[in-house]
Amino acid sequence: MSLCQSDIAYDAPEWLTGEHMTGTTIMAVEFADGVVFGADSRTSTGTYVANRVTDKLTQVADKIYCCRSGSAADTQAIADYVKFYLDLQENETNEEPTVEVASRMFQMLCYGNRDMLSASIICAGWDKSNGGQVFCLPLGGMCVRMPFAIGGSGSTYIYGHCDNTYKPDMTEEQCLKFVADAVALAMHRDGSSGGMIRLAVLTKDGCKRLNIPGNQLPTFWSK
């Protein structure tokens, strides 16, 4: 008895056929000299963890990064398109692209294909015109500048914490603690967030990457 491919796919378990999702926690916050990013590192396929050490902080220009959540394939493709267009613009104008231009490119792709994509993006970086900036692009393609932004499945657990903890004009060290604590709290509650915390500090001097391993995450009452 022979089986066609559709029969195999129908009987296959969810972890084998499900879409890879960066069901996740992502975050970015502005400070005086730039921005701080943070994200967990878990990629899931349904209830199966497909990758424990994903890097969801993706560079699209020299001083512009994006945090990705949603479909891993969709967000990777969008980031690749934006990186291509920004490289093209920089070569044509001999000027570094601005964070707002990059965000509007993300918006154009996300909004124009909103019925076909599952993509939520935080675009942030530094440029000489406006310094550090954070733009939030939730599902559907809306684009709003915010002093800090959170996204992904884990973000629903930490809105109250972030609203209560955030203060304007925080230092780099305060922003790093703010981001690390928020992402750790989300990872503790959200089954689709986990692994390690990846942090990045982006200023006019470039990007500094930091990692917090899973056995060194900030702990709270549960310790």
Side-chain angles (χ1 to χ4, degrees):
M1 175 180 170
S2 62
L3 293 175
C4 65
Q5 188 172 359
S6 60
D7 292 332
I8 297 174
Y10 181 80
D11 294 330
E14 178 191 24
W15 60 266
L16 192 59
T17 60
E19 184 178 13
H20 282 199
M21 304 289 288
T22 57
T24 185
T25 303
I26 54 176
M27 186 171 182
V29 58
E30 298 176 0
F31 70 102
D33 298 322
V35 293
V36 172
F37 303 87
D40 74 307
S41 65
R42 175 174 293 177
T43 294
S44 56
T45 304
T47 56
Y48 175 75
V49 177
N51 190 343
R52 296 181 296 118
V53 289
T54 308
D55 188 357
K56 302 173 186 177
L57 311 181
T58 303
Q59 185 176 24
V60 294
D62 186 37
K63 296 185 179 68
I64 304 173
Y65 278 67
C66 72
C67 305
R68 303 179 292 107
S69 68
S71 164
D74 291 350
T75 57
Q76 287 172 356
I78 292 169
D80 287 344
Y81 270 111
V82 171
K83 180 173 172 34
F84 170 78
Y85 287 128
L86 293 178
D87 285 344
L88 194 63
Q89 180 196 15
E90 187 171 359
N91 288 332
E92 289 179 345
T93 63
N94 291 319
E95 292 185 0
E96 292 184 344
T98 65
V99 182
E100 184 170 5
V101 166
S103 302
R104 296 304 174 186
M105 287 185 179
F106 275 112
Q107 182 186 30
M108 177 185 68
L109 292 167
C110 292
Y111 181 78
N113 301 280
R114 61 192 179 279
D115 295 328
M116 297 175 284
L117 298 177
S118 174
S120 176
I121 305 287
I122 296 174
C123 180
W126 183 94
D127 61 54
K128 62 183 179 182
S129 301
N130 295 300
Q133 300 149 77
V134 172
F135 287 86
C136 180
L137 294 95
L139 290 172
M142 181 177 69
C143 182
V144 182
R145 183 177 177 183
M146 305 178 70
F148 75 91
I150 56 178
S153 57
S155 66
T156 57
Y157 296 92
I158 57 172
Y159 274 101
H161 167 78
C162 292
D163 288 341
N164 183 62
T165 308
Y166 173 79
K167 295 178 177 58
D169 303 318
M170 289 194 295
T171 65
E172 176 184 328
E173 292 73 20
Q174 289 173 322
C175 287
L176 282 169
K177 177 173 172 49
F178 175 49
V179 172
D181 286 351
V183 175
L185 283 166
M187 290 166 64
H188 181 69
R189 295 289 184 185
D190 178 34
S192 295
S193 301
M196 61 190 296
I197 298 177
R198 296 187 185 275
L199 299 169
V201 181
L202 187 59
T203 65
K204 64 179 180 180
D205 299 319
C207 185
K208 176 177 65 175
R209 299 291 296 259
L210 303 166
N211 296 320
I212 304 177
N215 61 351
Q216 298 178 21
L217 297 178
T219 55
F220 305 92
W221 67 269
S222 58
K223 65 183 178 180

